[in-house]
Amino acid sequence: MFKKETYIARREQLRKDVGRGLIILPGNHEAPCNYPNNTYWFRQDSTFLYFFGLQREDLVGVIDCETGKDYIFANDYDIDDIIWTGPLPSVKELAASVGVDNSGSMADLRKFLEGKRPTSALPLYLPPYRADTRADLAEWLGLSYSAVNRHASLELTLACVKQRSIKSAEEIEEIERAVETAYNMHVGAMKMAMPGRYEYELAGFMQGEAWKGNGPVSFPVIMTVHGETLHNHGHNNRLEVGRMLVMDAGAETAMNYCSDITRSVPVGGRFDERQKAIYEIVLAANMEAIRATRPGITYQEVHQAASRVLAEGYKGLGILKGNTDDIIAAGAHSLLMPHGLGHMMGLDVHDMENYGQINVGYDDETRPSEQFGLGSLRCGRRLQEGFVITDEPGCYFIPALIDKWRADGMHKDFVNYDELEKWKDFGGIRIEDDILVTADGCRVLGKPIPKTVAEIEAVMAS
């Protein structure tokens, strides 16, 4: 945890921004894997972590904007629990550790909320993303299960987005710890990416390195020689020379701050001519995004700047043709990158997207595009100092998509389909960094992870 004053200040800021009513922030329950006592790894709700910092399951936080009081509700462990868990702090002790003076049991929570019903409006809460939380809110607030999401507070949601979007210095330190672990994950896996190994060996190594950094992976590892499938979680392929290996993986710290890094490497450690040609185009787009990122620019504009680099590169290979501005305006380049440039990152690898991605990545000024590719950009809003965002351009030769566009006559004035046929066996490449928006630009977080052709070949040769 951070010091308790951090959580006190965060709750005070939320109270100030919302200004009225009662805010209820449930923590997560444990989730059974295949029977009740065999659970998945416990992951606390990120909003609860941000404002209350406590990792125990079954906690509920309440912030009263009228009285200025905060509460933690949960049942204390009894002797039957302690036999299995060992001695643990009481709910009162946990509450005090994050500057909360008021605590009680779950029965006390029910009485507290019932006491508020006659005199105040429905408590403010965020849209639940878990069925058990939704069921709890229905019970506590006297709502039907189907009505819970309809009554979630947009006002509270936007206040949380406003506060959590700007990362403090201590949060940046945590994220950089997660990137340091990702450095070990990626550099170690690069050295293993040799013919005859299997993807699962490298994926397992990465998960082990994450735990050596005192936290799990921040999302299921993407480790695949079929990088044309954007989120390929299968790990059963044997590595062979001539294939590019896409490695998209990050770690969480013990406090659950995340990293999200992608590197693409040639199996065997040497880029061939085709691999190098595509890789250099994607790397140039990655670097252009870093150059362009600064406060005041929208991330839609950064996405388009990176897209121009990609389009120019593809024209140089004869895959695309025509005027670059026209290619970008039509979205023809998105055939080879049907996703957005990046997303917000922090306590969640896709930070705050449980609030609704449009509430996090967009606002009244900047709205999502309807264009293929650009419409998948997770964050397009105007950047501010303190944002942490991913920069992850890619190139993917997706046979089914290429065939569909060709059959439909899509962008035939810009796409050289005959040339593109020669690349359908290539796979994909993605290069991803985590970047902090600073006062006058941005910086890549953490120890630099090899990403030039020369750096990758040197690491893999070692």
Side-chain angles (χ1 to χ4, degrees), residues 16 40 47-48 71 85 96 173 183 227 233 237 291 345 372 382 391 395 425 437 452 454 462:
K16 177 181 177 182
Y40 290 103
T47 306
F48 186 89
Y71 302 80
T85 64
E173 288 180 12
Y183 175 96
H233 294 294
N237 294 301
R291 185 202 65 78
M345 197 188 73
F372 181 80
R382 197 168 299 281
D391 164 21
C395 175
D425 65 341
V437 181
T452 68
S462 68

Side-chain angles (χ1 to χ4, degrees), residues 240-445:
E240 299 176 355
V241 171
R243 301 296 300 176
M244 288 296 299
L245 178 66
V246 174
M247 308 185 298
D248 188 346
E252 287 193 6
T253 68
M255 292 176 60
N256 297 111
Y257 284 88
C258 298
S259 58
D260 183 3
I261 303 292
T262 308
R263 292 294 184 262
S264 300
V265 302
V267 175
R270 300 289 296 181
F271 287 84
D272 64 29
E273 185 177 344
R274 288 205 318 164
Q275 291 170 339
K276 184 176 180 180
I278 298 296
Y279 190 90
E280 294 282 17
I281 293 169
V282 178
L283 179 61
N286 170 274
M287 297 302 293
E288 174 62 17
I290 293 169
R291 185 202 65 78
T293 295
R294 61 187 183 277
I297 194 171
T298 70
Y299 215 51
Q300 277 183 339
E301 294 172 302
V302 179
H303 173 104
Q304 295 293 59
S307 295
R308 287 187 60 84
V309 173
L310 293 172
E312 288 285 351
Y314 301 148
K315 283 171 59 179
L317 294 178
I319 295 170
L320 296 183
K321 57 187 178 180
N323 179 272
T324 301
D325 289 339
D326 293 338
I327 291 171
I328 299 301
H333 62 291
S334 297
L335 171 61
L336 301 182
M337 193 179 92
H339 65 75
L341 182 65
H343 51 81
M344 300 278 268
M345 197 188 73
L347 269 172
D348 310 301
V349 69
H350 279 226
D351 207 26
M352 302 176 283
E353 287 197 14
N354 59 297
Y355 299 161
Q357 179 244 328
I358 196 168
N359 295 321
V360 177
Y362 293 88
D363 52 25
D364 291 339
E365 177 198 14
T366 309
R367 306 305 291 171
S369 170
E370 295 184 359
Q371 188 184 80
F372 181 80
L374 181 58
S376 296
L377 178 62
R378 309 298 294 176
C379 180
R381 63 191 277 205
R382 197 168 299 281
L383 301 178
Q384 300 176 46
E385 182 181 358
F387 281 17
V388 173
I389 199 162
T390 64
D391 164 21
E392 48 181 311
C395 175
Y396 316 89
F397 296 94
I398 307 170
L401 184 61
I402 293 169
D403 291 345
K404 184 180 188 322
W405 276 35
R406 185 168 199 169
D408 293 345
M410 290 280 290
H411 302 306
K412 58 186 178 182
D413 292 338
F414 302 120
V415 180
N416 186 343
Y417 285 104
D418 288 339
E419 180 63 29
L420 197 53
E421 284 292 323
K422 303 172 187 177
W423 293 87
K424 285 168 67 175
D425 65 341
F426 184 90
I429 288 174
R430 182 164 60 252
I431 305 170
E432 178 181 17
D433 294 309
D434 303 331
I435 58 179
L436 168 68
V437 181
T438 60
D440 55 1
C442 71
R443 71 177 177 90
V444 177
L445 293 173

Side-chain angles (χ1 to χ4, degrees), residues 27 75 82 89 119 214 235 249 307 312 414 434 447:
N75 292 330
I82 291 169
T119 57
N214 199 24
H235 299 143
S307 295
E312 288 285 351
F414 302 120
D434 303 331
K447 183 179 179 180

